[in-house]
Amino acid sequence: MITLNINGSNREVDAPEDMPLLWALRENLGLSGTKYGCGVAQCGACTVHINGEAVRSCVTTLSRAAGQKIVTIEGLDDDISRRIQDAWVAADVPQCGYCQSGQIMSAHVLLRENPNPTDKDIDDGMAGNICRCGTYQRIRKAIHMAAKK
Amino acid sequence: MHDIHSLTRRGFLKAGSLAGGGLLLSFYLPLPAKGRGLKTPSPTLFTPNAFISISPDNSIKILCNHSEMGQGAYTALTQIVADEMDADWSMISVEPAPANAALYACPAFGMQLTGGSASTNSEYDRLRRVGASARSMLITAAAREWQIDAALLHTENGSVFGPAGKKATYGELVEKSAGILPPKPEGLKLKDPKDFKFIGKSLNRIEVQSKINGSAIFGLDVMIPGMLVAVIERPPVFGSKVKSFNPAKTKSVPGVKHVVQIERGIAVVATGYWAAKKGREVLEIDWDLGPLLNSETLRTDYLELAGTPGKIAAKEGDVTNTSGAATTIEAIYELPFLNHAQMEPLNCTADVKPDSCDIYIGTQGQTIDQMTAAKILGMNPDKVKIHTQLLGGAFGRRAIFDGHITAEAVQTSKAIGEPVKVMWSREDDLKGGYYRPVSLHKLTASIDKNNNPYSWHHRIVCQSFIIGTALESMVVKDGVDTIAVEGASELPYAFPNVQVEWHRGMNLVPTLWMRSVGHSYNAYVKECFIDELATAAGKDPYQFRRGLMDNHTRLRNVLDVAASISGWGKALPAGRARGIAVHESFKSFIAQVAEVSVSNDGKLTVHKVWVAIDCGPVINPGNVRAQMEGSVIFGLTSALYGNISFKEGKVEQSNYYDYKMLRINEAPEVEVKIIDSTASMGGVGEPGVPCVAPTVANAVFVLTKKRLRQLPFPANVRS
């Protein structure tokens, strides 16, 4: 059994230590908001926060995640999160929506570290997250909106 | 013709009804999909037809017969219904319709299929009638209740209003609506478009909340009780077969439950994805390999074919008569295989039981999936329930003729006797075939001594994914696959001599439509080569095109608008240039202008793309813009990076590190101008794609004087 601290509570997971956190979240704990896109830290769909940092859960083993503070899209509930999610709705960002959990988790870290990012800051901070539907322009807009509030 | 049948107040309601011009024959209210956490439906509902269900609490459920894959069908189609029924938008939710071709076939295809940018324009008339019919029935119910002439009543925002302040919400009329007959189609009154309340408005995507908080359920998220997870080891080379396999090592991996052979390979079934993946890594299979394709060989073969006459797809005048040609240019264009690379890898969950089967899948083709499963299981199709999930992108990859995604899950569940989710890894998806076909084009064009167009000869070599399928009789004309030549065979430019030909390339690789399909390569070739001819004629590429489009006024108009909003002809900062392209596809008319720069070492930057679109009447302008913005990214991704190649039969690319996607730091600004139009309605999901690559390539030429005749572009566009 591995103990994971997820969204503020401890959860027991019966899984091998080398298994990526992504699969524990999705399959063992039913937190399916974190998505599988590539499995090799290329697309960012699986982004979660570990101790406040944006981390690709598809390449983060359970042994590394154990005992750390993990936040998933389901656990976002602070002021930055609300501003981001409101802005995402106002700009009608999502299309298929599959990558958006990861986009929002990355945007959260960006805005916490840089409350008023420029377009360049946004491009740098969000370049690890692929959106195949091509919602990038609206992501930029939404992050600016979330920053201004 | 079916008339009314009594509404029963049980969980299963069957209401024969007539709406949508007699298209609806009966209505079976589906149970909520497993794994979606839906409430049991209220026992008292008013279901005026197969698309609408109204609850006493005033909530309205729309059963949408088109899949939501990001293109906005759930929202746009609901806007149409809601407008005609005067619904309260805040009370509406959407659920996927069950698979039932008799009720829900797309009018454009005759089966339940989402594609061809056809959802909105093919359903517009029917769904207006669906909404208007429900509204009429609610008015009838209120008139009966109040004993007032229906003509004195009106509806607004989810309620019926009568004289002297009488009011009843639609929810309050649910019980009173029992036994009300739908109006006869010929008596149905539709709104005057000036009274539209939702149609034409940029309403937010109806499922947007679920897509910002992680609660949206895609196919890959489905969990049903007792479900196992499988990965399939598929042939390393297309066409190869399993000779033998040894499951011993795989079975010793903790969590692995079964190793079974299915039609397309070996399924490793485990308690979860990680165990299944680990098990597959140690699976020993001896394959009987098929022919080993090499991209270089394929290219040589295609080049040879391009040197010989093909089947005629279009002909005007005589291209062999060169008497009037003063200047002739020739070129070969080449475009690669492409993978759809939708963000959600392919998957399907199947639960095969002795006399029924449940399938959970994000699919574009419910009818095909249902028929596929029914055939494998020897069941009637109505025993196969398709629970359509949200699609994490599709772009055509989830609309397949052979139903292989479903077939794998059904065969695996059948073999093990348990419910199973078959998951494709990113690598499985990328190497799994069903690509946009590779194509090679030989072009010859000429101008006369006055620099006017004289001849246009375009020879296309590419394989057909239509021949041999159910669509062959509809699509293949005089031996030509009209999808393979679409966008080339209807040249919008006036040339006295035109010939377009097609050679069918060999089918060693399974291919498929991908967002904008034949237009994705033919528009590139057409729009780049007309640019070459403009250069040969010494004319401005916008004005040259414009002068040849007298018979294509909608197309010419978007060209003018794109030129105007982009400031065509005006001075640019040093080192920048514009390119232009125009194309009609999926009944919509689009022109684009790109502004680019190229560094000294040949690195291309696309700064901005302007899009002018005439798609006729617009349901949701915000979504049209979103589709144009996304199409620019999609087209640019293909232009810069898209390439699936083969070596010794194997696909050379694996994942997003060698099959790259455009990222936010490379994404240009996109400005969209939607033409105000009452002309025929076109699509918006695909037609934004074809112009992107040629627009950019034509701009690059201005800076480098090099034509980019091969996609993807080289990393150094000056090379």
Side-chain angles (χ1 to χ4, degrees):
Chain A
M1 283 289 180
I2 295 170
T3 304
L4 297 173
N5 184 277
I6 297 174
N7 300 332
S9 47
N10 284 334
R11 309 282 298 266
E12 300 290 321
V13 174
D14 181 12
E17 286 198 336
D18 68 337
M19 186 170 95
L21 172 62
L22 172 65
W23 303 111
L25 293 173
R26 292 181 53 80
E27 295 183 346
N28 299 64
L29 301 172
L31 294 169
S32 61
T34 304
K35 303 301 186 194
Y36 166 68
C38 69
V40 291
Q42 287 288 304
C43 78
C46 68
T47 306
V48 299
H49 297 166
I50 295 185
N51 302 331
E53 297 304 314
V55 166
R56 310 301 183 218
S57 64
C58 72
V59 292
T60 304
T61 59
L62 289 180
S63 57
R64 208 189 121 205
Q68 316 296 313
K69 285 199 181 314
I70 302 160
V71 176
T72 69
I73 184 78
E74 292 90 349
L76 287 184
D77 71 346
D78 61 357
D79 177 55
I80 295 178
S81 312
R82 274 184 290 277
R83 281 189 278 138
I84 293 173
Q85 287 171 324
D86 287 350
W88 243 249
V89 172
D92 212 18
V93 173
Q95 289 187 27
C96 88
Y98 193 79
C99 73
Q100 297 297 342
S101 295
Q103 302 281 1
I104 287 169
M105 297 308 281
S106 291
H108 189 283
V109 173
L110 170 69
L111 279 178
R112 195 194 64 223
E113 293 179 347
N114 183 352
N116 279 295
T118 62
D119 274 351
K120 173 78 167 57
D121 296 336
I122 293 171
D123 285 358
D124 291 346
M126 301 296 293
N129 290 77
I130 293 172
C131 174
R132 179 61 156 155
C133 297
T135 64
Y136 298 130
Q137 178 159 314
R138 292 185 188 219
I139 287 173
R140 271 191 212 123
K141 182 180 166 188
I143 291 175
H144 284 307
M145 288 166 73
K148 275 178 194 150
K149 281 186 183 169
Chain B
M1 298 290 270
H2 288 235
D3 287 318
I4 196 75
H5 303 288
S6 62
L7 279 165
T8 55
R9 302 211 173 140
R10 286 179 288 123
F12 294 79
L13 291 183
K14 278 191 176 181
S17 68
L18 183 61
L23 285 158
L24 310 175
L25 301 175
S26 65
F27 179 50
Y28 171 71
L29 187 73
L31 288 168
K34 280 187 202 173
R36 300 206 53 183
L38 300 172
K39 294 186 193 105
T40 307
S42 156
T44 314
L45 296 168
F46 174 48
T47 53
N49 53 58
F51 293 88
I52 300 171
S53 167
I54 307 172
S55 291
D57 67 0
N58 289 315
S59 65
I60 298 173
K61 186 167 72 182
I62 304 296
L63 287 168
C64 189
N65 61 332
H66 287 258
S67 302
E68 179 54 59
M69 48 196 186
Q71 88 284 32
Y74 276 7
T75 308
L77 298 182
T78 301
Q79 281 177 258
I80 299 167
V81 177
D83 209 324
E84 287 288 354
M85 74 181 288
D86 273 339
D88 175 352
W89 185 259
S90 69
M91 297 305 291
I92 292 183
S93 63
V94 182
E95 275 183 28
N100 185 335
L103 297 180
Y104 297 116
C106 171
F109 304 115
M111 64 172 111
Q112 228 166 315
L113 183 74
T114 303
S117 297
S119 297
T120 302
N121 61 62
S122 70
E123 296 286 1
Y124 183 58
D125 291 337
R126 159 158 73 169
L127 292 183
R128 286 184 73 188
R129 302 180 78 83
V130 159
S133 174
R135 175 181 166 276
S136 166
M137 291 163 80
L138 289 158
I139 286 180
T140 305
R144 192 170 67 178
E145 177 68 10
W146 297 333
Q147 300 289 305
I148 295 174
D149 181 359
L152 298 173
L153 309 184
H154 74 279
T155 54
E156 199 182 320
N157 203 33
S159 292
V160 181
F161 294 87
K166 280 192 181 302
K167 178 190 174 187
T169 67
Y170 289 174
E172 288 164 357
L173 291 167
V174 163
E175 289 205 36
K176 318 274 193 279
S177 300
I180 303 275
L181 288 164
K184 291 205 157 48
E186 58 273 19
L188 200 58
K189 194 170 174 304
L190 300 180
K191 276 187 177 176
D192 184 324
K194 75 173 166 44
D195 298 323
F196 283 154
K197 196 174 161 197
F198 304 126
I199 294 171
K201 299 286 189 306
S202 294
L203 300 185
N204 271 359
R205 180 174 286 280
I206 198 161
E207 78 284 8
V208 68
Q209 283 293 340
S210 73
K211 288 179 172 176
I212 57 142
N213 63 19
S215 66
I217 298 295
F218 298 85
L220 206 57
D221 302 327
V222 168
M223 299 271 264
I224 58 174
M227 182 189 87
L228 296 169
V229 172
V231 295
I232 314 284
E233 182 70 0
R234 299 180 184 84
V237 168
F238 295 117
S240 56
K241 302 262 183 241
V242 175
K243 255 197 275 190
S244 63
F245 70 104
N246 178 359
K249 286 184 190 161
T250 300
K251 282 184 168 169
S252 70
V253 171
V256 171
K257 297 283 184 190
H258 310 275
V259 182
V260 293
Q261 183 166 1
I262 60 170
E263 192 183 352
R264 282 164 51 88
I266 308 294
V268 178
V269 188
T271 49
Y273 176 75
W274 191 248
K277 178 181 182 286
K278 288 283 183 193
R280 184 172 67 168
E281 282 167 8
V282 294
L283 185 60
E284 292 169 349
I285 305 180
D286 190 12
W287 295 97
D288 189 1
L289 297 179
L292 302 182
L293 178 68
N294 283 294
S295 287
E296 274 313 304
T297 324
L298 185 77
R299 180 168 184 255
T300 311
D301 292 348
Y302 275 28
L303 264 174
E304 198 175 308
L305 272 176
T308 64
K311 294 203 166 93
I312 305 280
K315 189 177 187 324
E316 229 178 284
D318 179 6
V319 291
T320 62
N321 176 5
T322 56
S323 59
T327 306
T328 300
I329 60 170
E330 274 190 19
I332 299 283
Y333 279 81
E334 297 172 68
L335 294 94
F337 289 114
L338 294 175
N339 172 242
H340 304 69
Q342 74 293 335
M343 292 301 297
E344 180 202 8
L346 301 173
N347 62 86
C348 177
T349 300
D351 185 3
V352 175
K353 286 160 282 193
D355 53 1
S356 68
C357 175
D358 286 272
I359 289 168
Y360 306 79
I361 184 171
T363 181
Q364 294 176 256
Q366 287 83 356
T367 304
I368 295 169
D369 291 330
Q370 188 179 41
M371 303 303 281
T372 299
K375 194 176 167 200
I376 291 168
L377 299 171
M379 288 177 191
N380 282 329
D382 64 1
K383 298 290 180 197
V384 177
K385 288 201 178 63
I386 308 288
H387 306 262
T388 302
Q389 308 296 315
L390 288 170
L391 285 65
F395 313 116
R397 182 64 181 91
R398 294 182 149 107
I400 46 171
F401 302 109
D402 60 7
H404 62 270
I405 305 166
T406 295
E408 288 180 347
V410 169
Q411 288 168 354
T412 306
S413 177
K414 185 186 175 193
I416 65 174
E418 293 171 85
V420 66
K421 173 159 66 183
V422 170
M423 293 174 56
W424 297 52
S425 70
R426 173 57 56 196
E427 291 82 2
D428 293 340
D429 196 311
L430 200 74
K431 291 177 182 290
Y434 298 85
Y435 303 124
R436 193 285 300 268
V438 70
S439 63
L440 188 143
H441 307 252
K442 182 172 189 289
L443 291 108
T444 310
S446 63
I447 42 179
D448 65 17
K449 60 183 184 336
N450 299 317
N451 287 331
N452 290 319
Y454 184 72
S455 70
W456 177 274
H457 188 184
H458 181 178
R459 197 174 276 159
I460 305 161
V461 187
C462 70
Q463 66 189 78
S464 169
F465 53 84
I466 296 293
I467 293 174
T469 72
L471 286 187
E472 180 171 339
S473 62
M474 275 168 64
V475 173
V476 178
K477 302 217 165 74
D478 301 325
V480 175
D481 176 343
T482 55
I483 286 181
V485 301
E486 66 183 4
S489 54
E490 326 82 24
L491 190 69
Y493 305 119
F495 281 77
N497 305 295
V498 176
Q499 191 154 310
V500 179
E501 300 165 32
W502 179 62
H503 277 290
R504 186 182 177 192
M506 55 185 169
N507 275 32
L508 287 176
V509 176
T511 56
L512 187 62
W513 31 46
M514 182 175 123
R515 198 177 193 178
S516 83
V517 199
H519 299 281
S520 72
Y521 49 86
N522 287 323
Y524 184 73
V525 172
K526 168 181 75 83
E527 286 303 303
C528 286
F529 199 58
I530 196 76
D531 223 74
E532 294 199 35
L533 202 62
T535 303
K539 293 189 179 169
D540 173 82
Y542 158 48
Q543 293 297 343
F544 185 68
R545 285 175 174 83
R546 192 180 194 289
L548 308 179
M549 297 170 74
D550 287 352
N551 295 326
H552 297 267
T553 51
R554 284 179 82 182
L555 200 57
R556 190 179 61 190
N557 181 51
V558 291
L559 183 70
D560 287 342
V561 171
S564 165
I565 60 173
S566 65
W568 185 267
K570 290 186 182 148
L572 280 169
R576 297 226 181 161
R578 297 186 190 96
I580 196 165
V582 62
H583 193 69
E584 175 189 348
S585 61
F586 306 94
K587 304 180 189 169
S588 285
F589 304 83
I590 287 186
Q592 297 181 2
V593 172
E595 185 180 320
V596 314
S597 63
V598 177
S599 68
N600 287 336
D601 57 356
K603 190 177 174 341
L604 166 65
T605 302
V606 181
H607 300 278
K608 184 163 178 179
V609 176
W610 288 263
V611 181
I613 171 171
D614 173 1
C615 56
V618 173
I619 307 299
N620 187 321
N623 187 55
V624 173
R625 284 196 192 89
Q627 290 308 301
M628 295 305 109
E629 291 159 13
S631 293
V632 168
I633 303 301
F634 199 93
L636 203 49
T637 301
S638 298
L640 294 180
Y641 300 127
N643 185 26
I644 292 285
S645 58
F646 289 84
K647 194 169 182 185
E648 296 301 314
K650 292 186 179 169
V651 176
E652 293 189 284
Q653 293 72 24
S654 297
N655 204 313
Y656 286 133
Y657 48 78
D658 55 9
Y659 190 80
K660 289 186 183 174
M661 299 287 110
L662 204 77
R663 291 171 185 272
I664 194 169
N665 57 316
E666 306 161 295
E669 183 189 348
V670 180
E671 182 180 324
V672 180
K673 172 70 183 173
I674 303 170
I675 310 296
D676 211 4
S677 170
T678 52
S680 59
M681 190 183 287
V684 299
E686 298 170 270
V689 174
C691 282
V692 182
T695 302
V696 172
N698 292 337
V700 168
F701 169 78
V702 175
L703 295 171
T704 64
K705 300 300 165 205
K706 286 192 190 307
R707 291 291 176 185
L708 298 169
R709 299 193 185 99
Q710 237 180 338
L711 286 184
F713 300 157
N716 175 357
V717 294
R718 292 187 188 277
S719 64

